[in-house]
């Protein structure tokens, strides 16, 4: 019995060691097109200390695995987690973290990217956008489905920097509503930014929908400047490219996600099996001993 328990414990330890060894991040090199860094970005991500399930630095590491250069952590009506992520992620090998907030009001949701302090939600969207701009940030309409349309008046649309035209909702609702809102937005802001975001909390993949940002540098400030200048491309769920036609042509075929080496995936599988079998053995043998 003692030998069996020792073997089960060894399996658990082996699983932990193998899992740590398999946790290697891919090398992500941003594309260079026309003198710009083309940053693959997910500008609407939630984390722990909010309503996401991973710590902000862990989300940044997962973003690297998904081939992203930058994420904006945008918890509801707070920036604490985003500021922690911006500070720690570079030391842990994760993607660049921009400080953001999902300003969550009864009639609209607004993504702020590149801010330092929370923006109040008890105000009209045009006023909230003005506060985002006063902090040097960019303002993006979050998942502007039909229920939010009445709040987005002309003043708000003219102040917006971008709008989500690709979002996981469209995988089962279809892309029509976000496309229609984006056309309406572009009538007021012809150079407004097209944005694709995952709105990640727990189940979907970070970067499932993403934005290709044509930035002058790999920094939060350059990211915000590019969004406000409308230098973005996003592909919606129907495969339609949105953004300046010149940038769409410059980007060409979007890059594939980084492939995990076979040895790494096998090692990760072995780690899970060792840990699961070992823990099952420990629990079973503990019950027998009792």
């Amino acid at each position: 019995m003692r030998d069996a328990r020792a073997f089960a414990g060894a399996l658990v330890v082996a699983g932990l060691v193998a899992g740590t060894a398999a946790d290697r991040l891919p090398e992500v090199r941003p594309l260079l097109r026309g003198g710009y860094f083309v940053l693959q970005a997910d500008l609407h991500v939630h984390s722990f200390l909010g309503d996401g399930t991973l710590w902000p630095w862990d989300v940044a590491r997962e973003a690297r695995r998904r081939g992203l250069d930058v994420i904006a952590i945008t918890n509801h009506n707070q920036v604490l987690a985003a500021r922690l992520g911006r500070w720690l992620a570079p030391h842990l090998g994760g993607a660049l973290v921009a400080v953001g907030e999902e300003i969550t009001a009864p009639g609209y949701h607004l993504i702020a990217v590149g801010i330092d302090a929370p923006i109040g939600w008890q105000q009209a969207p045009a006023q909230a956008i003005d506060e985002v701009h006063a902090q040097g940030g960019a303002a993006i309409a979050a998942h502007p489905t039909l229920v939010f349309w009445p709040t987005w008046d002309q003043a708000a649309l003219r102040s917006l920097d971008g709008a989500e035209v690709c979002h996981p909702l469209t995988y089962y609702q279809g892309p029509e509503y976000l496309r229609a809102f984006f056309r309406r937005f572009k009538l007021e802001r012809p150079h407004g930014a097209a944005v694709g975001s995952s709105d990640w909390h727990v189940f979907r993949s970070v970067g499932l929908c993403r934005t290709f940002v044509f930035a002058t540098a790999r920094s939060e400030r350059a990211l915000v400047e590019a969004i406000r200048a409308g230098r973005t491309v996003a592909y919606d769920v129907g495969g339609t490219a949105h953004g300046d036609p010149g940038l769409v042509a410059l980007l060409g075929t979007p890059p594939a996600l980084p492939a995990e080496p076979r040895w790494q995936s096998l090692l990760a599988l072995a780690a899970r099996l060792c840990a699961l079998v070992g823990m099952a053995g420990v629990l079973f043998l503990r019950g027998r001993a009792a």
Side-chain angles (χ1 to χ4, degrees):
M1 178 73 72
R2 182 176 299 174
D3 289 344
R5 292 175 65 181
F7 180 70
L11 281 177
V12 174
V13 173
L16 292 172
V17 172
T20 301
D23 188 23
R24 300 288 183 88
L25 296 177
E27 184 178 358
V28 177
R29 296 181 179 178
L31 301 172
L32 292 172
R33 295 286 189 276
Y36 291 110
F37 291 97
V38 183
L39 304 178
Q40 296 189 56
D42 190 341
L43 302 172
H44 185 172
V45 176
H46 297 268
S47 75
F48 187 60
L49 296 180
D51 58 338
T53 53
L54 291 178
W55 287 97
W57 48 90
D58 286 330
V59 180
R61 288 176 61 84
E62 184 61 27
R64 275 285 304 276
R65 291 188 184 91
R66 299 290 297 170
L68 292 167
D69 301 291
V70 57
I71 60 172
I73 292 180
T74 55
N75 286 338
H76 295 280
N77 297 332
Q78 58 111 322
V79 298
L80 173 61
R83 295 183 67 170
L84 278 173
R86 180 172 64 181
W87 176 47
L88 283 172
H91 304 292
L92 299 173
L96 175 71
V97 173
V99 174
E101 175 188 358
E102 183 172 3
I103 301 159
T104 307
Y108 69 94
H109 288 196
L110 176 69
I111 298 299
V113 178
I115 59 173
D116 283 310
I119 306 295
W121 59 270
Q122 293 178 308
Q123 56 186 327
Q127 295 172 315
I129 293 167
D130 287 344
E131 286 197 27
V132 174
H133 290 163
Q135 291 193 35
I140 300 164
H143 44 71
T145 51
L146 193 60
V147 68
F148 293 128
W149 286 12
T151 311
W152 289 109
D153 56 18
Q154 190 177 55
L157 291 174
R158 287 181 174 176
S159 300
L160 268 178
D161 299 302
E164 289 181 347
V165 70
C166 184
H167 183 279
L169 284 173
T170 59
Y171 278 83
Y172 56 90
Q173 290 185 355
E176 290 76 18
Y177 289 128
L178 295 195
R179 284 180 181 175
F181 182 89
F182 192 70
R183 288 193 295 269
R184 180 183 163 206
F185 164 57
K186 293 287 275 187
L187 288 175
E188 303 295 335
R189 287 293 303 270
H191 300 294
V195 174
S197 303
S198 72
D199 194 3
W200 184 84
H201 292 74
V202 54
F203 292 115
R204 297 180 291 268
S205 297
V206 177
L208 176 65
C209 300
R210 60 186 61 194
T211 310
F212 297 90
V213 181
F214 290 72
T216 56
R218 299 174 65 181
S219 69
E220 184 177 10
R221 283 297 98 200
L223 173 79
V224 170
E225 186 272 329
I227 295 168
R228 294 190 64 168
R231 294 197 307 271
T232 66
V233 172
Y235 288 82
D236 68 23
V237 68
T240 300
H242 300 269
D244 181 274
L247 295 180
V248 173
L250 194 60
L251 176 63
T253 303
L257 294 179
E260 185 177 66
R262 183 166 176 77
W263 70 264
Q264 193 172 348
S265 59
L266 290 174
L267 188 59
L269 177 61
R272 295 187 189 102
L273 289 174
C274 286
L276 287 172
V277 173
M279 285 302 299
V282 168
L283 293 173
F284 175 75
L285 292 170
R286 183 180 180 183
R288 290 284 300 274

